[in-house]
PDB file of all heavy atoms in Angstrom:
ATOM      1  N   ALA H   4      93.167 112.997  92.253  1.00 97.00           N
ATOM      2  CA  ALA H   4      93.369 112.412  93.583  1.00 97.00           C
ATOM      3  C   ALA H   4      94.529 111.439  93.485  1.00 97.00           C
ATOM      4  O   ALA H   4      94.524 110.541  92.623  1.00 97.00           O
ATOM      5  CB  ALA H   4      92.095 111.707  94.050  1.00 97.00           C
ATOM      6  N   HIS H   5      95.510 111.605  94.359  1.00 96.00           N
ATOM      7  CA  HIS H   5      96.716 110.781  94.338  1.00 96.00           C
ATOM      8  C   HIS H   5      96.846 109.985  95.655  1.00 96.00           C
ATOM      9  O   HIS H   5      96.640 110.549  96.728  1.00 96.00           O
ATOM     10  CB  HIS H   5      97.951 111.640  94.127  1.00 96.00           C
ATOM     11  CG  HIS H   5      97.896 112.482  92.904  1.00 96.00           C
ATOM     12  ND1 HIS H   5      98.113 111.982  91.633  1.00 96.00           N
ATOM     13  CD2 HIS H   5      97.622 113.822  92.739  1.00 96.00           C
ATOM     14  CE1 HIS H   5      98.007 112.974  90.747  1.00 96.00           C
ATOM     15  NE2 HIS H   5      97.702 114.077  91.395  1.00 96.00           N
ATOM     16  N   ALA H   6      97.139 108.718  95.535  1.00 97.00           N
ATOM     17  CA  ALA H   6      97.353 107.880  96.726  1.00 97.00           C
ATOM     18  C   ALA H   6      98.745 107.237  96.616  1.00 97.00           C
ATOM     19  O   ALA H   6      98.879 106.131  96.103  1.00 97.00           O
ATOM     20  CB  ALA H   6      96.268 106.817  96.830  1.00 97.00           C
ATOM     21  N   PRO H   7      99.776 107.921  97.107  1.00 96.00           N
ATOM     22  CA  PRO H   7     101.133 107.389  97.014  1.00 96.00           C
ATOM     23  C   PRO H   7     101.340 106.285  98.051  1.00 96.00           C
ATOM     24  O   PRO H   7     100.585 106.164  99.020  1.00 96.00           O
ATOM     25  CB  PRO H   7     102.007 108.600  97.314  1.00 96.00           C
ATOM     26  CG  PRO H   7     101.166 109.460  98.185  1.00 96.00           C
ATOM     27  CD  PRO H   7      99.752 109.271  97.704  1.00 96.00           C
ATOM     28  N   ALA H   8     102.376 105.494  97.847  1.00 96.00           N
ATOM     29  CA  ALA H   8     102.761 104.471  98.805  1.00 96.00           C
ATOM     30  C   ALA H   8     103.570 105.077  99.920  1.00 96.00           C
ATOM     31  O   ALA H   8     104.303 106.050  99.732  1.00 96.00           O
ATOM     32  CB  ALA H   8     103.552 103.363  98.114  1.00 96.00           C
ATOM     33  N   ALA H   9     103.472 104.477 101.117  1.00 94.00           N
ATOM     34  CA  ALA H   9     104.311 104.905 102.235  1.00 94.00           C
ATOM     35  C   ALA H   9     105.788 104.691 101.913  1.00 94.00           C
ATOM     36  O   ALA H   9     106.651 105.484 102.316  1.00 94.00           O
ATOM     37  CB  ALA H   9     103.906 104.177 103.509  1.00 94.00           C
ATOM     38  N   ALA H  10     106.089 103.614 101.164  1.00 92.00           N
ATOM     39  CA  ALA H  10     107.438 103.336 100.725  1.00 92.00           C
ATOM     40  C   ALA H  10     107.744 104.233  99.523  1.00 92.00           C
ATOM     41  O   ALA H  10     107.149 104.056  98.456  1.00 92.00           O
ATOM     42  CB  ALA H  10     107.610 101.872 100.359  1.00 92.00           C
ATOM     43  N   LYS H  11     108.614 105.192  99.672  1.00 90.00           N
ATOM     44  CA  LYS H  11     108.866 106.171  98.614  1.00 90.00           C
ATOM     45  C   LYS H  11     109.379 105.505  97.348  1.00 90.00           C
ATOM     46  O   LYS H  11     110.188 104.597  97.382  1.00 90.00           O
ATOM     47  CB  LYS H  11     109.849 107.221  99.122  1.00 90.00           C
ATOM     48  CG  LYS H  11     109.306 108.068 100.260  1.00 90.00           C
ATOM     49  CD  LYS H  11     110.248 109.220 100.606  1.00 90.00           C
ATOM     50  CE  LYS H  11     109.727 110.018 101.789  1.00 90.00           C
ATOM     51  NZ  LYS H  11     108.402 110.588 101.561  1.00 90.00           N
ATOM     52  N   GLY H  12     108.861 106.035  96.226  1.00 91.00           N
ATOM     53  CA  GLY H  12     109.309 105.535  94.937  1.00 91.00           C
ATOM     54  C   GLY H  12     108.695 104.224  94.475  1.00 91.00           C
ATOM     55  O   GLY H  12     109.130 103.657  93.482  1.00 91.00           O
ATOM     56  N   ARG H  13     107.674 103.771  95.209  1.00 93.00           N
ATOM     57  CA  ARG H  13     107.046 102.515  94.852  1.00 93.00           C
ATOM     58  C   ARG H  13     105.548 102.712  94.622  1.00 93.00           C
ATOM     59  O   ARG H  13     104.935 103.616  95.171  1.00 93.00           O
ATOM     60  CB  ARG H  13     107.228 101.462  95.967  1.00 93.00           C
ATOM     61  CG  ARG H  13     108.690 101.071  96.203  1.00 93.00           C
ATOM     62  CD  ARG H  13     108.734  99.831  97.085  1.00 93.00           C
ATOM     63  NE  ARG H  13     108.057  98.712  96.442  1.00 93.00           N
ATOM     64  CZ  ARG H  13     107.607  97.646  97.126  1.00 93.00           C
ATOM     65  NH1 ARG H  13     107.747  97.564  98.424  1.00 93.00           N
ATOM     66  NH2 ARG H  13     107.007  96.663  96.501  1.00 93.00           N
ATOM     67  N   ALA H  14     104.968 101.830  93.814  1.00 97.00           N
ATOM     68  CA  ALA H  14     103.521 101.767  93.619  1.00 97.00           C
ATOM     69  C   ALA H  14     102.903 103.128  93.394  1.00 97.00           C
ATOM     70  O   ALA H  14     103.424 103.961  92.653  1.00 97.00           O
ATOM     71  CB  ALA H  14     102.865 101.006  94.758  1.00 97.00           C
ATOM     72  N   GLY H  15     101.783 103.401  94.038  1.00 97.00           N
ATOM     73  CA  GLY H  15     101.076 104.670  93.882  1.00 97.00           C
ATOM     74  C   GLY H  15     100.005 104.608  92.827  1.00 97.00           C
ATOM     75  O   GLY H  15     100.240 104.111  91.695  1.00 97.00           O
ATOM     76  N   VAL H  16      98.782 105.076  93.162  1.00 98.00           N
ATOM     77  CA  VAL H  16      97.670 105.085  92.219  1.00 98.00           C
ATOM     78  C   VAL H  16      97.051 106.479  92.223  1.00 98.00           C
ATOM     79  O   VAL H  16      97.129 107.214  93.207  1.00 98.00           O
ATOM     80  CB  VAL H  16      96.595 104.039  92.538  1.00 98.00           C
ATOM     81  CG1 VAL H  16      97.111 102.632  92.218  1.00 98.00           C
ATOM     82  CG2 VAL H  16      96.169 104.109  94.017  1.00 98.00           C
ATOM     83  N   SER H  17      96.455 106.863  91.105  1.00 98.00           N
ATOM     84  CA  SER H  17      95.829 108.165  90.974  1.00 98.00           C
ATOM     85  C   SER H  17      94.536 108.070  90.167  1.00 98.00           C
ATOM     86  O   SER H  17      94.339 107.141  89.387  1.00 98.00           O
ATOM     87  CB  SER H  17      96.761 109.168  90.248  1.00 98.00           C
ATOM     88  OG  SER H  17      97.957 109.367  90.979  1.00 98.00           O
ATOM     89  N   LEU H  18      93.650 109.054  90.376  1.00 98.00           N
ATOM     90  CA  LEU H  18      92.443 109.219  89.579  1.00 98.00           C
ATOM     91  C   LEU H  18      92.414 110.619  88.994  1.00 98.00           C
ATOM     92  O   LEU H  18      92.699 111.583  89.696  1.00 98.00           O
ATOM     93  CB  LEU H  18      91.189 109.016  90.442  1.00 98.00           C
ATOM     94  CG  LEU H  18      90.885 107.592  90.925  1.00 98.00           C
ATOM     95  CD1 LEU H  18      89.712 107.629  91.889  1.00 98.00           C
ATOM     96  CD2 LEU H  18      90.582 106.666  89.755  1.00 98.00           C
ATOM     97  N   TYR H  19      92.081 110.728  87.729  1.00 98.00           N
ATOM     98  CA  TYR H  19      91.850 111.999  87.075  1.00 98.00           C
ATOM     99  C   TYR H  19      90.392 111.974  86.585  1.00 98.00           C
ATOM    100  O   TYR H  19      90.033 111.130  85.768  1.00 98.00           O
ATOM    101  CB  TYR H  19      92.789 112.180  85.876  1.00 98.00           C
ATOM    102  CG  TYR H  19      94.223 112.468  86.229  1.00 98.00           C
ATOM    103  CD1 TYR H  19      94.986 111.558  86.958  1.00 98.00           C
ATOM    104  CD2 TYR H  19      94.837 113.663  85.878  1.00 98.00           C
ATOM    105  CE1 TYR H  19      96.308 111.815  87.294  1.00 98.00           C
ATOM    106  CE2 TYR H  19      96.158 113.947  86.208  1.00 98.00           C
ATOM    107  CZ  TYR H  19      96.881 113.014  86.921  1.00 98.00           C
ATOM    108  OH  TYR H  19      98.186 113.273  87.249  1.00 98.00           O
ATOM    109  N   LEU H  20      89.592 112.900  87.097  1.00 98.00           N
ATOM    110  CA  LEU H  20      88.159 112.912  86.803  1.00 98.00           C
ATOM    111  C   LEU H  20      87.735 114.263  86.260  1.00 98.00           C
ATOM    112  O   LEU H  20      88.265 115.282  86.663  1.00 98.00           O
ATOM    113  CB  LEU H  20      87.364 112.595  88.094  1.00 98.00           C
ATOM    114  CG  LEU H  20      87.796 111.352  88.872  1.00 98.00           C
ATOM    115  CD1 LEU H  20      87.107 111.313  90.220  1.00 98.00           C
ATOM    116  CD2 LEU H  20      87.496 110.092  88.084  1.00 98.00           C
ATOM    117  N   ARG H  21      86.752 114.256  85.359  1.00 98.00           N
ATOM    118  CA  ARG H  21      86.285 115.502  84.773  1.00 98.00           C
ATOM    119  C   ARG H  21      85.433 116.331  85.742  1.00 98.00           C
ATOM    120  O   ARG H  21      85.172 117.486  85.487  1.00 98.00           O
ATOM    121  CB  ARG H  21      85.464 115.195  83.531  1.00 98.00           C
ATOM    122  CG  ARG H  21      86.246 114.562  82.385  1.00 98.00           C
ATOM    123  CD  ARG H  21      87.202 115.541  81.733  1.00 98.00           C
ATOM    124  NE  ARG H  21      87.847 114.941  80.563  1.00 98.00           N
ATOM    125  CZ  ARG H  21      88.752 115.561  79.827  1.00 98.00           C
ATOM    126  NH1 ARG H  21      89.156 116.775  80.150  1.00 98.00           N
ATOM    127  NH2 ARG H  21      89.279 114.941  78.777  1.00 98.00           N
ATOM    128  N   ARG H  22      84.995 115.703  86.849  1.00 97.00           N
ATOM    129  CA  ARG H  22      84.206 116.446  87.838  1.00 97.00           C
ATOM    130  C   ARG H  22      84.605 115.930  89.228  1.00 97.00           C
ATOM    131  O   ARG H  22      85.162 114.833  89.381  1.00 97.00           O
ATOM    132  CB  ARG H  22      82.717 116.216  87.606  1.00 97.00           C
ATOM    133  CG  ARG H  22      82.274 114.742  87.582  1.00 97.00           C
ATOM    134  CD  ARG H  22      80.831 114.580  87.972  1.00 97.00           C
ATOM    135  NE  ARG H  22      80.667 114.779  89.420  1.00 97.00           N
ATOM    136  CZ  ARG H  22      79.509 114.976  90.018  1.00 97.00           C
ATOM    137  NH1 ARG H  22      78.397 115.054  89.296  1.00 97.00           N
ATOM    138  NH2 ARG H  22      79.435 115.119  91.323  1.00 97.00           N
ATOM    139  N   GLU H  23      84.326 116.746  90.223  1.00 98.00           N
ATOM    140  CA  GLU H  23      84.629 116.357  91.602  1.00 98.00           C
ATOM    141  C   GLU H  23      83.731 115.197  92.009  1.00 98.00           C
ATOM    142  O   GLU H  23      82.518 115.262  91.759  1.00 98.00           O
ATOM    143  CB  GLU H  23      84.440 117.543  92.529  1.00 98.00           C
ATOM    144  CG  GLU H  23      84.876 117.264  93.959  1.00 98.00           C
ATOM    145  CD  GLU H  23      84.864 118.501  94.827  1.00 98.00           C
ATOM    146  OE1 GLU H  23      84.731 119.610  94.291  1.00 98.00           O
ATOM    147  OE2 GLU H  23      84.983 118.351  96.050  1.00 98.00           O
ATOM    148  N   PRO H  24      84.265 114.166  92.598  1.00 98.00           N
ATOM    149  CA  PRO H  24      83.436 113.014  92.970  1.00 98.00           C
ATOM    150  C   PRO H  24      82.548 113.317  94.182  1.00 98.00           C
ATOM    151  O   PRO H  24      82.800 114.235  94.944  1.00 98.00           O
ATOM    152  CB  PRO H  24      84.468 111.941  93.316  1.00 98.00           C
ATOM    153  CG  PRO H  24      85.678 112.693  93.759  1.00 98.00           C
ATOM    154  CD  PRO H  24      85.700 113.964  92.935  1.00 98.00           C
ATOM    155  N   ASP H  25      81.520 112.501  94.332  1.00 97.00           N
ATOM    156  CA  ASP H  25      80.632 112.619  95.498  1.00 97.00           C
ATOM    157  C   ASP H  25      81.339 112.097  96.758  1.00 97.00           C
ATOM    158  O   ASP H  25      81.043 112.539  97.856  1.00 97.00           O
ATOM    159  CB  ASP H  25      79.350 111.819  95.257  1.00 97.00           C
ATOM    160  CG  ASP H  25      78.579 112.323  94.030  1.00 97.00           C
ATOM    161  OD1 ASP H  25      78.608 113.554  93.800  1.00 97.00           O
ATOM    162  OD2 ASP H  25      78.002 111.503  93.331  1.00 97.00           O
ATOM    163  N   ALA H  26      82.237 111.135  96.582  1.00 97.00           N
ATOM    164  CA  ALA H  26      83.014 110.601  97.693  1.00 97.00           C
ATOM    165  C   ALA H  26      84.298 110.020  97.148  1.00 97.00           C
ATOM    166  O   ALA H  26      84.360 109.593  95.974  1.00 97.00           O
ATOM    167  CB  ALA H  26      82.203 109.539  98.434  1.00 97.00           C
ATOM    168  N   LEU H  27      85.316 109.989  97.984  1.00 98.00           N
ATOM    169  CA  LEU H  27      86.637 109.479  97.585  1.00 98.00           C
ATOM    170  C   LEU H  27      87.174 108.616  98.729  1.00 98.00           C
ATOM    171  O   LEU H  27      87.138 109.011  99.889  1.00 98.00           O
ATOM    172  CB  LEU H  27      87.562 110.661  97.312  1.00 98.00           C
ATOM    173  CG  LEU H  27      88.976 110.347  96.786  1.00 98.00           C
ATOM    174  CD1 LEU H  27      88.911 109.839  95.353  1.00 98.00           C
ATOM    175  CD2 LEU H  27      89.839 111.597  96.846  1.00 98.00           C
ATOM    176  N   ARG H  28      87.701 107.424  98.399  1.00 98.00           N
ATOM    177  CA  ARG H  28      88.235 106.528  99.402  1.00 98.00           C
ATOM    178  C   ARG H  28      89.581 105.949  98.971  1.00 98.00           C
ATOM    179  O   ARG H  28      89.714 105.552  97.809  1.00 98.00           O
ATOM    180  CB  ARG H  28      87.244 105.385  99.691  1.00 98.00           C
ATOM    181  CG  ARG H  28      85.943 105.839 100.332  1.00 98.00           C
ATOM    182  CD  ARG H  28      84.935 104.699 100.438  1.00 98.00           C
ATOM    183  NE  ARG H  28      84.446 104.299  99.127  1.00 98.00           N
ATOM    184  CZ  ARG H  28      83.412 104.881  98.497  1.00 98.00           C
ATOM    185  NH1 ARG H  28      82.790 105.909  99.063  1.00 98.00           N
ATOM    186  NH2 ARG H  28      82.988 104.441  97.332  1.00 98.00           N
ATOM    187  N   VAL H  29      90.530 105.931  99.870  1.00 98.00           N
ATOM    188  CA  VAL H  29      91.828 105.340  99.625  1.00 98.00           C
ATOM    189  C   VAL H  29      91.946 104.041 100.408  1.00 98.00           C
ATOM    190  O   VAL H  29      91.643 104.007 101.601  1.00 98.00           O
ATOM    191  CB  VAL H  29      92.975 106.297 100.038  1.00 98.00           C
ATOM    192  CG1 VAL H  29      94.321 105.607  99.918  1.00 98.00           C
ATOM    193  CG2 VAL H  29      92.937 107.554  99.182  1.00 98.00           C
ATOM    194  N   GLY H  30      92.352 102.973  99.725  1.00 98.00           N
ATOM    195  CA  GLY H  30      92.451 101.675 100.385  1.00 98.00           C
ATOM    196  C   GLY H  30      91.139 100.961 100.467  1.00 98.00           C
ATOM    197  O   GLY H  30      90.079 101.488 100.111  1.00 98.00           O
ATOM    198  N   PHE H  31      91.183  99.709 100.991  1.00 98.00           N
ATOM    199  CA  PHE H  31      89.964  98.912 101.078  1.00 98.00           C
ATOM    200  C   PHE H  31      89.814  98.273 102.456  1.00 98.00           C
ATOM    201  O   PHE H  31      89.255  97.202 102.616  1.00 98.00           O
ATOM    202  CB  PHE H  31      89.925  97.856  99.975  1.00 98.00           C
ATOM    203  CG  PHE H  31      91.135  96.954  99.882  1.00 98.00           C
ATOM    204  CD1 PHE H  31      91.155  95.713 100.505  1.00 98.00           C
ATOM    205  CD2 PHE H  31      92.254  97.346  99.169  1.00 98.00           C
ATOM    206  CE1 PHE H  31      92.252  94.897 100.424  1.00 98.00           C
ATOM    207  CE2 PHE H  31      93.374  96.526  99.062  1.00 98.00           C
ATOM    208  CZ  PHE H  31      93.374  95.290  99.696  1.00 98.00           C
ATOM    209  N   GLY H  32      90.309  98.988 103.466  1.00 97.00           N
ATOM    210  CA  GLY H  32      90.124  98.523 104.832  1.00 97.00           C
ATOM    211  C   GLY H  32      91.139  97.478 105.261  1.00 97.00           C
ATOM    212  O   GLY H  32      90.846  96.679 106.161  1.00 97.00           O
ATOM    213  N   SER H  33      92.325  97.479 104.627  1.00 98.00           N
ATOM    214  CA  SER H  33      93.349  96.494 104.945  1.00 98.00           C
ATOM    215  C   SER H  33      94.443  97.131 105.795  1.00 98.00           C
ATOM    216  O   SER H  33      95.060  98.101 105.372  1.00 98.00           O
ATOM    217  CB  SER H  33      93.963  95.934 103.653  1.00 98.00           C
ATOM    218  OG  SER H  33      95.146  95.214 103.916  1.00 98.00           O
ATOM    219  N   SER H  34      94.718  96.554 106.952  1.00 97.00           N
ATOM    220  CA  SER H  34      95.786  97.082 107.799  1.00 97.00           C
ATOM    221  C   SER H  34      97.137  96.935 107.146  1.00 97.00           C
ATOM    222  O   SER H  34      98.045  97.754 107.348  1.00 97.00           O
ATOM    223  CB  SER H  34      95.781  96.370 109.169  1.00 97.00           C
ATOM    224  OG  SER H  34      95.966  94.978 108.996  1.00 97.00           O
ATOM    225  N   GLU H  35      97.312  95.926 106.320  1.00 97.00           N
ATOM    226  CA  GLU H  35      98.607  95.705 105.648  1.00 97.00           C
ATOM    227  C   GLU H  35      98.776  96.561 104.404  1.00 97.00           C
ATOM    228  O   GLU H  35      99.880  97.081 104.150  1.00 97.00           O
ATOM    229  CB  GLU H  35      98.794  94.237 105.276  1.00 97.00           C
ATOM    230  CG  GLU H  35     100.115  93.972 104.587  1.00 97.00           C
ATOM    231  CD  GLU H  35     100.373  92.506 104.273  1.00 97.00           C
ATOM    232  OE1 GLU H  35      99.503  91.651 104.525  1.00 97.00           O
ATOM    233  OE2 GLU H  35     101.482  92.200 103.762  1.00 97.00           O
ATOM    234  N   PHE H  36      97.712  96.763 103.632  1.00 97.00           N
ATOM    235  CA  PHE H  36      97.872  97.311 102.293  1.00 97.00           C
ATOM    236  C   PHE H  36      97.339  98.719 102.073  1.00 97.00           C
ATOM    237  O   PHE H  36      97.598  99.308 101.038  1.00 97.00           O
ATOM    238  CB  PHE H  36      97.247  96.361 101.277  1.00 97.00           C
ATOM    239  CG  PHE H  36      97.920  95.016 101.192  1.00 97.00           C
ATOM    240  CD1 PHE H  36      97.278  93.880 101.656  1.00 97.00           C
ATOM    241  CD2 PHE H  36      99.206  94.894 100.686  1.00 97.00           C
ATOM    242  CE1 PHE H  36      97.898  92.636 101.594  1.00 97.00           C
ATOM    243  CE2 PHE H  36      99.823  93.642 100.644  1.00 97.00           C
ATOM    244  CZ  PHE H  36      99.161  92.535 101.085  1.00 97.00           C
ATOM    245  N   ASP H  37      96.609  99.280 103.018  1.00 97.00           N
ATOM    246  CA  ASP H  37      95.990 100.565 102.745  1.00 97.00           C
ATOM    247  C   ASP H  37      96.995 101.710 102.617  1.00 97.00           C
ATOM    248  O   ASP H  37      96.688 102.724 102.016  1.00 97.00           O
ATOM    249  CB  ASP H  37      94.959 100.902 103.815  1.00 97.00           C
ATOM    250  CG  ASP H  37      93.607 100.272 103.525  1.00 97.00           C
ATOM    251  OD1 ASP H  37      93.502  99.500 102.532  1.00 97.00           O
ATOM    252  OD2 ASP H  37      92.626 100.534 104.263  1.00 97.00           O
ATOM    253  N   GLY H  38      98.211 101.536 103.126  1.00 96.00           N
ATOM    254  CA  GLY H  38      99.236 102.555 102.955  1.00 96.00           C
ATOM    255  C   GLY H  38     100.211 102.258 101.853  1.00 96.00           C
ATOM    256  O   GLY H  38     101.239 102.941 101.721  1.00 96.00           O
ATOM    257  N   SER H  39      99.869 101.271 101.030  1.00 97.00           N
ATOM    258  CA  SER H  39     100.839 100.812 100.018  1.00 97.00           C
ATOM    259  C   SER H  39     100.631 101.412  98.642  1.00 97.00           C
ATOM    260  O   SER H  39     101.308 101.022  97.696  1.00 97.00           O
ATOM    261  CB  SER H  39     100.798  99.277  99.931  1.00 97.00           C
ATOM    262  OG  SER H  39      99.518  98.826  99.485  1.00 97.00           O
ATOM    263  N   GLY H  40      99.686 102.346  98.512  1.00 98.00           N
ATOM    264  CA  GLY H  40      99.470 102.998  97.220  1.00 98.00           C
ATOM    265  C   GLY H  40      98.967 102.062  96.149  1.00 98.00           C
ATOM    266  O   GLY H  40      99.441 102.128  95.002  1.00 98.00           O
ATOM    267  N   ARG H  41      98.009 101.232  96.513  1.00 98.00           N
ATOM    268  CA  ARG H  41      97.542 100.226  95.555  1.00 98.00           C
ATOM    269  C   ARG H  41      96.063 100.304  95.205  1.00 98.00           C
ATOM    270  O   ARG H  41      95.605  99.585  94.320  1.00 98.00           O
ATOM    271  CB  ARG H  41      97.892  98.818  96.067  1.00 98.00           C
ATOM    272  CG  ARG H  41      99.391  98.592  96.127  1.00 98.00           C
ATOM    273  CD  ARG H  41      99.765  97.134  96.288  1.00 98.00           C
ATOM    274  NE  ARG H  41     101.209  96.944  96.249  1.00 98.00           N
ATOM    275  CZ  ARG H  41     101.897  96.793  95.129  1.00 98.00           C
ATOM    276  NH1 ARG H  41     101.297  96.813  93.956  1.00 98.00           N
ATOM    277  NH2 ARG H  41     103.214  96.619  95.182  1.00 98.00           N
ATOM    278  N   TYR H  42      95.294 101.175  95.890  1.00 98.00           N
ATOM    279  CA  TYR H  42      93.880 101.225  95.596  1.00 98.00           C
ATOM    280  C   TYR H  42      93.278 102.560  95.982  1.00 98.00           C
ATOM    281  O   TYR H  42      93.508 103.073  97.070  1.00 98.00           O
ATOM    282  CB  TYR H  42      93.129 100.104  96.335  1.00 98.00           C
ATOM    283  CG  TYR H  42      91.655 100.003  95.963  1.00 98.00           C
ATOM    284  CD1 TYR H  42      91.287  99.413  94.771  1.00 98.00           C
ATOM    285  CD2 TYR H  42      90.678 100.542  96.793  1.00 98.00           C
ATOM    286  CE1 TYR H  42      89.951  99.333  94.414  1.00 98.00           C
ATOM    287  CE2 TYR H  42      89.334 100.470  96.431  1.00 98.00           C
ATOM    288  CZ  TYR H  42      88.975  99.870  95.244  1.00 98.00           C
ATOM    289  OH  TYR H  42      87.667  99.798  94.892  1.00 98.00           O
ATOM    290  N   ILE H  43      92.487 103.135  95.061  1.00 98.00           N
ATOM    291  CA  ILE H  43      91.736 104.351  95.316  1.00 98.00           C
ATOM    292  C   ILE H  43      90.418 104.276  94.515  1.00 98.00           C
ATOM    293  O   ILE H  43      90.411 103.747  93.406  1.00 98.00           O
ATOM    294  CB  ILE H  43      92.555 105.600  94.926  1.00 98.00           C
ATOM    295  CG1 ILE H  43      91.836 106.878  95.360  1.00 98.00           C
ATOM    296  CG2 ILE H  43      92.882 105.629  93.447  1.00 98.00           C
ATOM    297  CD1 ILE H  43      92.677 108.145  95.171  1.00 98.00           C
ATOM    298  N   GLU H  44      89.334 104.765  95.094  1.00 98.00           N
ATOM    299  CA  GLU H  44      88.049 104.714  94.389  1.00 98.00           C
ATOM    300  C   GLU H  44      87.288 106.022  94.612  1.00 98.00           C
ATOM    301  O   GLU H  44      87.460 106.699  95.638  1.00 98.00           O
ATOM    302  CB  GLU H  44      87.216 103.522  94.852  1.00 98.00           C
ATOM    303  CG  GLU H  44      86.728 103.606  96.294  1.00 98.00           C
ATOM    304  CD  GLU H  44      85.915 102.386  96.720  1.00 98.00           C
ATOM    305  OE1 GLU H  44      86.209 101.264  96.238  1.00 98.00           O
ATOM    306  OE2 GLU H  44      85.024 102.547  97.570  1.00 98.00           O
ATOM    307  N   ALA H  45      86.421 106.341  93.656  1.00 98.00           N
ATOM    308  CA  ALA H  45      85.629 107.563  93.718  1.00 98.00           C
ATOM    309  C   ALA H  45      84.223 107.260  93.260  1.00 98.00           C
ATOM    310  O   ALA H  45      83.998 106.506  92.316  1.00 98.00           O
ATOM    311  CB  ALA H  45      86.221 108.648  92.828  1.00 98.00           C
ATOM    312  N   ASP H  46      83.246 107.874  93.948  1.00 98.00           N
ATOM    313  CA  ASP H  46      81.847 107.763  93.567  1.00 98.00           C
ATOM    314  C   ASP H  46      81.486 108.921  92.653  1.00 98.00           C
ATOM    315  O   ASP H  46      81.610 110.092  93.016  1.00 98.00           O
ATOM    316  CB  ASP H  46      80.936 107.801  94.812  1.00 98.00           C
ATOM    317  CG  ASP H  46      81.070 106.568  95.672  1.00 98.00           C
ATOM    318  OD1 ASP H  46      81.565 105.531  95.172  1.00 98.00           O
ATOM    319  OD2 ASP H  46      80.657 106.644  96.859  1.00 98.00           O
ATOM    320  N   LEU H  47      81.023 108.588  91.449  1.00 97.00           N
ATOM    321  CA  LEU H  47      80.465 109.566  90.518  1.00 97.00           C
ATOM    322  C   LEU H  47      78.972 109.246  90.358  1.00 97.00           C
ATOM    323  O   LEU H  47      78.532 108.191  90.827  1.00 97.00           O
ATOM    324  CB  LEU H  47      81.190 109.459  89.171  1.00 97.00           C
ATOM    325  CG  LEU H  47      82.703 109.743  89.195  1.00 97.00           C
ATOM    326  CD1 LEU H  47      83.311 109.415  87.829  1.00 97.00           C
ATOM    327  CD2 LEU H  47      82.943 111.208  89.541  1.00 97.00           C
ATOM    328  N   PRO H  48      78.197 110.106  89.739  1.00 96.00           N
ATOM    329  CA  PRO H  48      76.787 109.815  89.569  1.00 96.00           C
ATOM    330  C   PRO H  48      76.549 108.464  88.885  1.00 96.00           C
ATOM    331  O   PRO H  48      76.949 108.285  87.723  1.00 96.00           O
ATOM    332  CB  PRO H  48      76.290 110.977  88.708  1.00 96.00           C
ATOM    333  CG  PRO H  48      77.203 112.104  89.072  1.00 96.00           C
ATOM    334  CD  PRO H  48      78.547 111.459  89.242  1.00 96.00           C
ATOM    335  N   GLY H  49      76.011 107.520  89.609  1.00 97.00           N
ATOM    336  CA  GLY H  49      75.635 106.224  89.033  1.00 97.00           C
ATOM    337  C   GLY H  49      76.761 105.220  88.914  1.00 97.00           C
ATOM    338  O   GLY H  49      76.517 104.064  88.551  1.00 97.00           O
ATOM    339  N   VAL H  50      78.004 105.604  89.230  1.00 98.00           N
ATOM    340  CA  VAL H  50      79.114 104.650  89.059  1.00 98.00           C
ATOM    341  C   VAL H  50      80.267 104.949  90.025  1.00 98.00           C
ATOM    342  O   VAL H  50      80.555 106.127  90.288  1.00 98.00           O
ATOM    343  CB  VAL H  50      79.629 104.664  87.584  1.00 98.00           C
ATOM    344  CG1 VAL H  50      80.168 106.032  87.201  1.00 98.00           C
ATOM    345  CG2 VAL H  50      80.660 103.586  87.346  1.00 98.00           C
TER     346      VAL H  50
END
């Protein structure tokens, strides 16, 4: 799962997981930063 920044060539975060997650979320509910490629999270069993 890749979350690039809106500004090309900057920032960007990714997750590589051995199994498909139960849920995947990009950003943390910030109007300023959710498009900046700085945060991504995935729910796996128990974590």
Side-chain angles (χ1 to χ4, degrees):
H5 304 282
K11 294 188 184 301
R13 295 193 60 201
V16 288
S17 298
L18 290 173
Y19 287 63
L20 309 170
R21 295 289 186 181
R22 55 154 287 165
E23 186 172 348
D25 300 325
L27 184 70
R28 294 173 291 274
V29 174
F31 53 96
S33 167
S34 58
E35 180 176 3
F36 295 110
D37 276 4
S39 63
R41 294 195 176 274
Y42 186 78
I43 187 172
E44 68 182 32
D46 291 341
L47 298 172
V50 62

